[in-house]
Amino acid sequence: MQQSTYAIVAEVRFRELKTRIGLAAFIGLVAWVLSPSIFPLVWFGAVIVSQMIDWLVFRPFRLEPERPVTLSRQIVCCVTASLSVIVYSSIAAYLWFTAGEVGRLFAIVQVAGGLLHVSLHMHEVRPLLLSAAIPHGLYFLGLPILSAWITGQRHVALIALGGVLYLMHLVVAVRQSSHTNNALRRANEVADQERRKAEVASAAKSDFLAVISHEIRTPMNAVISSANLLRRTRLDQHQQEHVAMLTEAGDVLMGLLNDVLDFSKIEAGRMSLEAAEMDLRDRLSMLERMWRPRAEANGVELTVLVAANAPACILTDPLRLQQILFNLISNAVKFTDQGRIDLTAEWDAGEGRLNVTVRDTGCGIPAERLASVFDSFEQADAGTTRRYGGTGLGLAISRRLAELMGGSLTAASREGEGSAFVLSLPVRVIDASNPRPERPEADGQVLSGRSVLVVDDHEVNRRIVGLLLEPHGLRLTFAANGQEAVEMARDARFDVVLMDMQMPVMDGLEATRVIRAEGANTGTPVIALTANAMDNHRAAWAAVGVRAFLTKPIEPSLLVTTLAQACASAREDHGHSAKA
């Protein structure tokens, strides 16, 4: 504490050095005008010398704030402070005795200002404060008393009485200032402690969510993947219905988990956005293909209309834009029993904004509830969750995402007639005339005969991957941990490696680093296939250079497509290398 306070005083004195010298020049000029002689010039020179000594003495504390403050250093600092004050305020004595009434008034004001200055800047270090305040006080009280004794004008001594009152007020002010500073310091320390506690709590919450996400995704991978495998077999009508119920329930559970994770990331300020080129019409057509069968199953017509002036390609965060529109269409399908759902995309060229409206003819939202539909865990009424399901997080997440992307999400509704949600986002238009690199063609022929190393510590997960991929003609090799994978990859050549993250003996990240560094598979594409789905996990995989990042539960079509693209890319890279 003592080290830091001396450093604070040193920093203040250095910062105020030019001000003190400038003020000394002004005081010297006034003194020369009131009482012309050589003394003001000599005094100003002495001030310069004393201030330079002051600068040299306090400089080490400014450069090294943690420098130990020994007793000898304290004595040197206190003597220097006293010397500076004695020299600086000596002009007051000159003015008092040579410049008449005006000089006396100016001398008292100058010393009073010096007292105030050192009291404000040195009260953190008591020895320094006393060393600087005592010489000022002696000038302040001693000049009137000495003058009264020399001249015999006893009433002049009354000025010293006024000086005592001033010093008493100054002591009270300094004490109050010290108490206030200490209170602020304690408040800052408490705030820092609370901030650290909040950071620890936030980290614990993130760790908890990561563990829960992993532990839920792992068994759900078995449940949903098994349902997808069952769907491929010959089933009667009742069995198909049972499998459909199972997959739909799994999708709902995973949707709830993803909503909670997204909401937690947004609340913690950890939601990251990624700008990428996106074909607007292709993305909206994909959503239409995904949701039209579900809407038609409810007897509802779903249409997507893109304005003619809308750009073909835009720069935005495709994943988050799709997530927002997915939530809006999902709600429209959920709450519309008859009529239609229209998605309209319009382009505001003047503002450079994409405006997407999702309008339905559903049940609508009561006017008194409309303002709260974007609140967390809010739905139109208490029976909504029981009737339609959901957590009430979808719209809250969608609005937060829209705002993070610099846009807005608003709603208009009339009960019994339907609702309209308008997403407005600033996007950048990409010149569609510039050719963009196309992904290698991903087809079944690319996978046939390819060799894949599957690394996962869970036997059920390995079995599921085998059942999903064997029909595509792949040759699969399995490893139960990262160390086994490294040993297998050291000599045998694979076309692709599917790598889990959290495994005993050696985790997936370390195994990927080793495979990349040595052996026959330094250039083999590695695809992360893991239940660790948080952003920090994605970033960790990106750091070791994986080709793609897939999360469990496994989506069969996405897994096959990703493998085919990796194999096609590897084949092209190998072809280029051979030509070279």
Side-chain angles (χ1 to χ4, degrees), residues 89-97 103-104 106-108 110-111 135-151 156-157 159-160:
S89 287
S90 61
I91 194 70
Y94 172 77
L95 290 171
W96 183 275
F97 289 109
R104 292 180 180 180
F106 192 88
I108 288 295
Q110 188 266 331
V111 177
H136 274 310
L138 291 176
Y139 279 117
F140 197 55
L141 301 179
L143 286 175
I145 294 174
L146 181 62
S147 179
W149 181 71
I150 293 175
T151 62
V156 177
I159 298 176

Side-chain angles (χ1 to χ4, degrees), residues 57 69 101 121 131 151 172 184 199 219 230 268 291 330 360 390 512 543 575:
V57 169
V69 184
E101 294 297 327
H121 290 170
S131 299
T151 62
V172 172
L184 287 174
E199 290 174 350
L230 273 175
W291 283 102
S330 173
D360 64 66
T512 302

Side-chain angles (χ1 to χ4, degrees), residues 324-325 327-332 335 342-344 355-360 364-365 369-370 372-374 394-396 398-399 408-413 418-424:
I324 296 172
L325 296 179
N327 283 335
L328 296 182
I329 300 174
S330 173
N331 278 351
F335 295 108
D342 297 315
L343 185 152
T344 306
N355 300 317
V356 183
T357 303
V358 178
R359 191 183 308 276
D360 64 66
I365 304 169
R369 304 288 296 178
L370 185 60
S372 62
V373 294
F374 292 107
L395 288 177
S398 297
R399 171 170 274 189
S408 63
L409 178 61
T410 57
S413 184
S419 306
F421 289 84
V422 180
L423 171 66
S424 180

Side-chain angles (χ1 to χ4, degrees), residues 287-426:
L287 288 170
E288 182 181 16
R289 290 192 301 271
M290 180 185 300
W291 283 102
R292 176 174 285 171
R294 305 188 193 186
E296 291 177 346
N298 294 340
V300 177
E301 182 183 359
L302 172 64
T303 62
V304 173
L305 178 63
V306 182
N309 70 332
C313 187
I314 60 176
L315 185 69
T316 185
D317 188 321
L319 177 63
R320 299 309 173 188
L321 175 57
Q322 177 176 312
Q323 183 177 357
I324 296 172
L325 296 179
F326 187 96
N327 283 335
L328 296 182
I329 300 174
S330 173
N331 278 351
V333 172
K334 184 189 300 184
F335 295 108
T336 305
D337 294 329
Q338 59 183 0
R340 58 186 298 110
I341 299 170
D342 297 315
L343 185 152
T344 306
E346 299 173 321
W347 176 247
D348 185 343
E351 297 289 335
R353 298 179 78 88
L354 176 67
N355 300 317
V356 183
T357 303
V358 178
R359 191 183 308 276
D360 64 66
T361 58
C363 59
I365 304 169
E368 66 274 11
R369 304 288 296 178
L370 185 60
S372 62
V373 294
F374 292 107
D375 294 341
S376 306
F377 306 103
E378 284 287 341
Q379 292 187 329
D381 58 63
T384 298
T385 301
R386 292 192 297 273
R387 182 178 178 187
Y388 298 104
T391 60
L393 282 175
L395 288 177
I397 291 171
S398 297
R399 171 170 274 189
R400 299 286 188 88
L401 288 175
E403 292 172 348
L404 284 173
M405 297 169 72
S408 63
L409 178 61
T410 57
S413 184
R414 185 170 295 178
E415 190 173 8
E417 297 183 13
S419 306
F421 289 84
V422 180
L423 171 66
S424 180
L425 292 177

Side-chain angles (χ1 to χ4, degrees), residues 398-468:
S398 297
R399 171 170 274 189
R400 299 286 188 88
L401 288 175
E403 292 172 348
L404 284 173
M405 297 169 72
S408 63
L409 178 61
T410 57
S413 184
R414 185 170 295 178
E415 190 173 8
E417 297 183 13
S419 306
F421 289 84
V422 180
L423 171 66
S424 180
L425 292 177
V427 298
R428 204 173 84 196
V429 178
I430 301 299
D431 187 358
S433 63
N434 293 332
R436 298 192 302 275
E438 297 182 357
R439 289 185 174 183
E441 187 67 24
D443 54 34
Q445 295 179 351
V446 174
L447 294 179
S448 180
R450 293 287 179 170
S451 175
V452 178
L453 175 60
V454 180
V455 189
D456 198 302
D457 64 315
H458 204 291
E459 183 178 356
V460 174
N461 289 338
R462 296 196 299 272
R463 179 61 178 155
I464 287 171
V465 171
L467 292 172
L468 289 172

